[in-house]
Amino acid sequence: MEKLLLVFETEKTGSRIKEMIETAGLAECFLCHSAAEAKRLVHSKSIFAAVCGYKFQDETAESLFEDLPDSCYGLVLAPQSILVLIGNERLFKLVAPVSRGDLLAAVGMLLQASAQEDRTVRSGRTRKEQETIDAAKQLLIAQMAMSEEQAHRYLQKRSMDSGIKMFKTAHMVLDGSWKDWYNK
């Protein structure tokens, strides 16, 4: 089951959101009330996603996410007037008050993004390298009528056969130089 950090200043709000998410079976939630506590939990529990309000007793959601690893994504629940001020790309925004359905849908998307990031972190690739590999797969799918699995295997095999990292092989696919050795 996915792990999700909840950071809300008030116990009542945090507990209500925790109950909704866990009842829906989306994630195991860890509730805390301060940014300092959130930072400790992210590192100790290897959490890649957080749902939070905008302001805590010790700082704001934006400043919290500046101190968290780039692999951690967040969903901020706040009034529209506050959300428009947030510029951090890793923070999804949802206008509060929010319906149960909208919250669960947004948390589902957040968990998908964080799961992708978790796989990238575990693979030892940077986000840019993974994006390049994904773009190369899409090109192979479109131009060579491969499935996603076939495109992945193709990149993997060419990478191993040539002794070139998969990222470099993907880059060759994107710049067109891969056609020279496609039929080899």
Side-chain angles (χ1 to χ4, degrees):
M1 179 174 270
E2 299 285 338
K3 294 185 236 175
L4 183 64
L5 180 64
L6 302 178
V7 191
F8 289 94
E9 194 168 36
T10 64
E11 178 71 33
K12 181 180 177 185
T13 302
S15 294
R16 193 173 72 237
I17 290 173
K18 179 180 180 177
E19 182 182 343
M20 278 192 266
I21 293 168
E22 288 185 340
T23 301
L26 289 177
E28 175 185 8
C29 297
F30 298 88
L31 178 59
C32 61
H33 306 291
S34 70
E37 192 179 356
K39 292 172 194 176
R40 282 191 302 275
L41 279 171
V42 162
H43 295 293
S44 69
K45 303 278 186 192
S46 298
I47 297 173
F48 291 94
V51 176
C52 60
Y54 179 72
K55 192 171 188 279
F56 323 115
Q57 55 188 309
D58 51 354
E59 59 186 279
T60 65
E62 267 194 301
S63 59
L64 166 63
F65 276 85
E66 288 172 8
D67 293 337
L68 293 179
D70 286 345
S71 57
C72 191
Y73 285 83
L75 172 65
V76 178
L77 307 176
Q80 181 66 34
S81 59
I82 301 241
L83 294 178
V84 296
L85 303 174
I86 298 174
N88 188 321
E89 295 175 3
R90 292 182 296 137
L91 291 175
F92 296 95
K93 305 167 203 169
L94 190 59
V95 177
V98 61
S99 71
R100 181 181 188 279
D102 288 345
L103 174 66
L104 296 178
V107 167
M109 289 189 311
L110 175 70
L111 291 171
Q112 281 181 334
S114 70
Q116 173 63 36
E117 188 66 29
D118 182 29
R119 285 190 297 277
T120 299
V121 167
R122 279 188 278 129
S123 74
R125 295 185 184 114
T126 66
R127 186 178 301 147
K128 182 175 174 30
E129 288 173 340
Q130 188 61 48
E131 287 170 358
T132 301
I133 291 168
D134 291 343
K137 285 185 203 177
Q138 291 305 313
L139 183 68
L140 289 169
I141 290 167
Q143 290 187 354
M144 305 307 293
M146 293 181 178
S147 69
E148 195 275 338
E149 185 177 330
Q150 289 170 325
H152 181 80
R153 275 199 223 131
Y154 175 82
L155 289 173
Q156 201 171 40
K157 181 167 178 14
R158 289 296 176 196
S159 176
M160 290 187 309
D161 289 350
S162 63
I164 299 172
K165 288 191 171 209
M166 196 162 165
F167 164 72
K168 298 262 188 206
T169 303
H171 189 66
M172 291 173 72
V173 167
L174 292 174
D175 73 12
S177 60
W178 66 283
K179 292 179 182 180
D180 298 336
W181 43 265
Y182 176 73
N183 291 319
K184 289 184 182 177

